[in-house]
């Protein structure tokens, strides 16, 4: 999940239309993916602004999800909602256990390596990627702006206890054990 405004959190995307009765194809960033339907209203981030919509029906279809937007009953109307992000209000997102974090909480944090005993700033988390085995932090250095050791982009496995030493949301930093040469 990615953040784009102070109160809204992106949780998915409408990728296309399905059929002729106003159904749309949904990509969900929630885990499990069906959890996207637990939130209401959805705020669609269109090029004309943010618009609230309600989903009145949804189901799994093949390897994906489809949904019907209330009041959208034909394919032409549904096409107007494609290729837009789906956001929900942050206060709808449940709290996690201690030591667990949503992706949006990690984006923007400074990453400091303690490899070799001397702390060094590698950069900031730009985004996260799911790889199957584990999530990966995409860390971008910026020597001029951040004072990081270089301008490299690094892919760090998000594996607490092995590579990730600590996450401190208050200090806005992640401490890692990562060789800066990689």
């Amino acid at each position: 999940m990615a953040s784009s405004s102070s109160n809204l959190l992106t949780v998915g995307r409408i990728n296309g239309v399905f059929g002729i009765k106003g159904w749309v194809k949904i990509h969900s960033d929630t885990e499990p993916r069906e959890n996207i339907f637990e939130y209401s209203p959805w705020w669609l981030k269109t090029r004309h602004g943010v618009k609230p919509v309600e989903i009145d029906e949804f189901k799994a279809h093949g390897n994906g999800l489809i949904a019907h937007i209330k009041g959208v009953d034909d394919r032409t109307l549904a096409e107007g909602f494609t290729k837009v992000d789906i956001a929900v209000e942050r206060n709808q997102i449940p709290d996690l256990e201690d030591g667990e974090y949503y992706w949006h909480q990690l984006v923007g944090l400074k990453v400091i390596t303690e490899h070799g005993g001397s702390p060094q700033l590698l950069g900031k988390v730009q985004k996260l990627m799911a790889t199957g085995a584990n999530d990966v932090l995409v860390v971008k250095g910026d020597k001029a702006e951040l004072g990081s050791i270089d301008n490299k982009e690094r892919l760090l496995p998000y594996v607490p206890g092995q590579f990730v030493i600590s996450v401190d949301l208050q200090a806005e930093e992640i401490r890692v054990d990562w060789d800066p040469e990689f």
Side-chain angles (χ1 to χ4, degrees), residues 87-104:
V88 298
E89 294 177 17
R90 283 183 191 268
N91 63 5
Q92 292 185 14
I93 305 295
D95 292 333
L96 296 174
E97 300 290 324
D98 284 343
E100 294 182 349
Y101 306 95
Y102 287 112
W103 284 13
H104 77 272

Side-chain angles (χ1 to χ4, degrees), residues 2-10 45 50 87-93 104:
S3 173
S4 69
S5 92
S6 61
N7 189 43
L8 295 179
L9 185 66
T10 301
K45 298 177 180 180
V50 180
V88 298
E89 294 177 17
R90 283 183 191 268
N91 63 5
Q92 292 185 14
I93 305 295
H104 77 272

Side-chain angles (χ1 to χ4, degrees), residues 91-164:
N91 63 5
Q92 292 185 14
I93 305 295
D95 292 333
L96 296 174
E97 300 290 324
D98 284 343
E100 294 182 349
Y101 306 95
Y102 287 112
W103 284 13
H104 77 272
Q105 293 176 297
L106 302 178
V107 172
L109 298 185
K110 291 181 180 177
V111 178
I112 300 166
T113 184
E114 296 182 359
H115 186 81
S118 176
Q120 297 178 301
L121 178 62
L122 297 178
K124 280 189 175 181
V125 177
Q126 298 298 301
K127 64 181 179 178
L128 284 94
M129 300 185 311
T131 64
N134 52 264
D135 296 334
V136 173
L137 300 167
V138 178
V139 179
K140 177 75 173 116
D142 189 330
K143 211 170 181 177
E145 184 179 326
L146 299 174
S148 59
I149 61 172
D150 56 31
N151 293 325
K152 288 173 70 173
E153 180 177 273
R154 292 177 174 83
L155 303 178
L156 282 70
Y158 186 84
V159 182
Q162 184 176 357
F163 300 115
V164 176

